[in-house]
Amino acid sequence: MAEEQPRAAAEGGGETLMEKIADKLHIGGDGSSSDSDADERKQPKPSAPPAPAEVATESFVDSAAAAAAEAKAKVFRLFGREEPIHKVLGGGKPADVFLWRNRNISAGVLGGATAIWILFELLGYHLLTFVCHGLIFSLGLLFLWSNASSFINKSPPRIPEVIIPEDLVVNIALSTRYEINRAFANLRQIALGRDIKKFLIVIAGLWLLSVLGSCCNFLTLVYIVFVVLHTVPILYEKYEDQIDSYGEKGWVEIKKQYAVFDAKVLSKVPRGPLKDKKH
């Protein structure tokens, strides 16, 4: 009995020691798991995908913008233009003058053209006489200034050296040659009778120019065109939508009348060959 009690005590002590070790291991495991849970909580969570309602709203906005751009592109413009009026006029400084981007320069150019027209048309001044008198006055003034500068202790006039660059002359000549050749090609196509519509437009334009030429001389005609270029584009740019609306109605009516005229007259006119004969 005495031997059994120590053995039981030893067994009880062993079990107690094992239980303590197991408890420590269990506590350590819980700490590591709690640390891992805390790390998982600290890590940023991925953002949730956008809601279906937001995606539908964005797609609706994009489709509406595309439809608005397409509708704007289909708006009727005079002469079928697809570019702003500034670009149609060539862009750059000439277009800025015609559209009065700088009012002082535009007013000065228009005032100078008006003065020239009054001088030659109303006062009866001739171009050759005007050029000769201007050169006489300028050369006489500069000559006297150059010789009198040594007596009055002033510097002589600084007359700049004017040299026309070769590239400028070549470019102007090439552009003029290209435009003349294109005009000749269009006239040839019209004369061959392949496009009756273009033929009628050219005939009407030439007849209108002949009527204007009988009413005024060449200088007055050039001045009228100059004034039109300085007034019509700026007015059209300001009231573009209203003018295009009326222009669309007028163009529809013209097309109706032309269809009637084509059916009754033009369709019965014999046309030229479609291709040139090869020799």
Side-chain angles (χ1 to χ4, degrees):
M1 293 293 293
E3 292 178 358
E4 291 178 356
Q5 290 178 354
R7 289 178 183 176
E11 290 177 359
E15 292 177 357
T16 304
L17 180 62
M18 293 299 292
E19 289 177 357
K20 289 181 179 180
I21 292 172
D23 291 340
K24 289 182 179 181
L25 292 175
H26 183 68
I27 292 170
D30 293 341
S32 61
S33 62
S34 62
D35 293 338
S36 62
D37 293 339
D39 293 338
E40 290 179 357
R41 291 175 182 175
K42 290 180 180 179
Q43 291 179 357
K45 296 182 179 180
S47 60
E54 295 179 359
V55 176
T57 304
E58 292 178 358
S59 61
F60 176 75
V61 171
D62 295 338
S63 61
E70 185 178 359
K72 187 176 181 181
K74 292 182 178 180
V75 173
F76 177 83
R77 298 299 181 190
L78 285 178
F79 309 109
R81 65 178 183 85
E82 298 179 355
E83 298 176 344
I85 189 66
H86 185 274
K87 200 168 184 179
V88 172
L89 293 174
K93 293 183 179 180
D96 292 340
V97 173
F98 292 143
L99 294 175
W100 294 75
R101 294 290 188 262
N102 190 327
R103 295 187 177 183
N104 294 330
I105 296 177
S106 300
V109 172
L110 185 58
T114 304
I116 292 174
W117 179 76
I118 292 174
L119 184 66
F120 291 111
E121 185 64 24
L122 299 183
L123 300 181
Y125 218 65
H126 298 285
L127 179 62
L128 183 60
T129 305
F130 175 76
V131 172
C132 292
H133 287 176
L135 289 175
I136 291 171
F137 177 77
S138 301
L139 291 175
L141 181 62
L142 293 174
F143 180 81
L144 292 176
W145 188 0
S146 300
N147 288 278
S149 59
S150 58
F151 297 101
I152 59 179
N153 296 325
K154 289 187 176 182
S155 60
R158 297 179 181 179
I159 303 174
E161 185 179 0
V162 179
I163 299 176
I164 300 176
E166 182 179 359
D167 295 339
L168 177 63
V169 178
V170 172
N171 291 333
I172 293 175
L174 291 176
S175 300
T176 305
R177 171 181 170 274
Y178 173 75
E179 295 296 335
I180 292 174
N181 289 336
R182 189 174 69 170
F184 283 154
N186 290 331
L187 292 175
R188 179 177 178 274
Q189 294 295 327
I190 294 170
L192 290 175
R194 297 177 181 176
D195 193 344
I196 298 179
K197 183 178 179 180
K198 187 180 292 185
F199 170 77
L200 294 176
I201 293 174
V202 172
I203 293 299
L206 292 175
W207 177 79
L208 181 61
L209 286 177
S210 67
V211 172
L212 292 175
S214 63
C215 297
C216 56
N217 56 17
F218 181 73
L219 180 61
T220 303
L221 183 61
V222 171
Y223 177 69
I224 291 173
V225 173
F226 198 79
V227 173
V228 168
L229 287 175
H230 276 79
T231 54
V232 173
I234 183 64
L235 292 176
Y236 176 72
E237 187 181 40
K238 188 175 182 180
Y239 304 102
E240 182 177 3
D241 295 334
Q242 294 87 339
I243 295 175
D244 286 339
S245 177
Y246 289 111
E248 183 178 9
K249 296 177 181 178
W251 181 247
V252 171
E253 187 64 26
I254 290 174
K255 290 177 69 174
K256 290 180 180 179
Q257 298 299 328
Y258 176 77
V260 174
F261 182 71
D262 186 20
K264 293 183 178 180
V265 180
L266 298 182
S267 60
K268 300 178 181 179
V269 176
R271 301 188 180 185
L274 296 177
K275 296 183 180 179
D276 295 335
K277 295 181 179 180
K278 295 181 180 181
H279 298 284

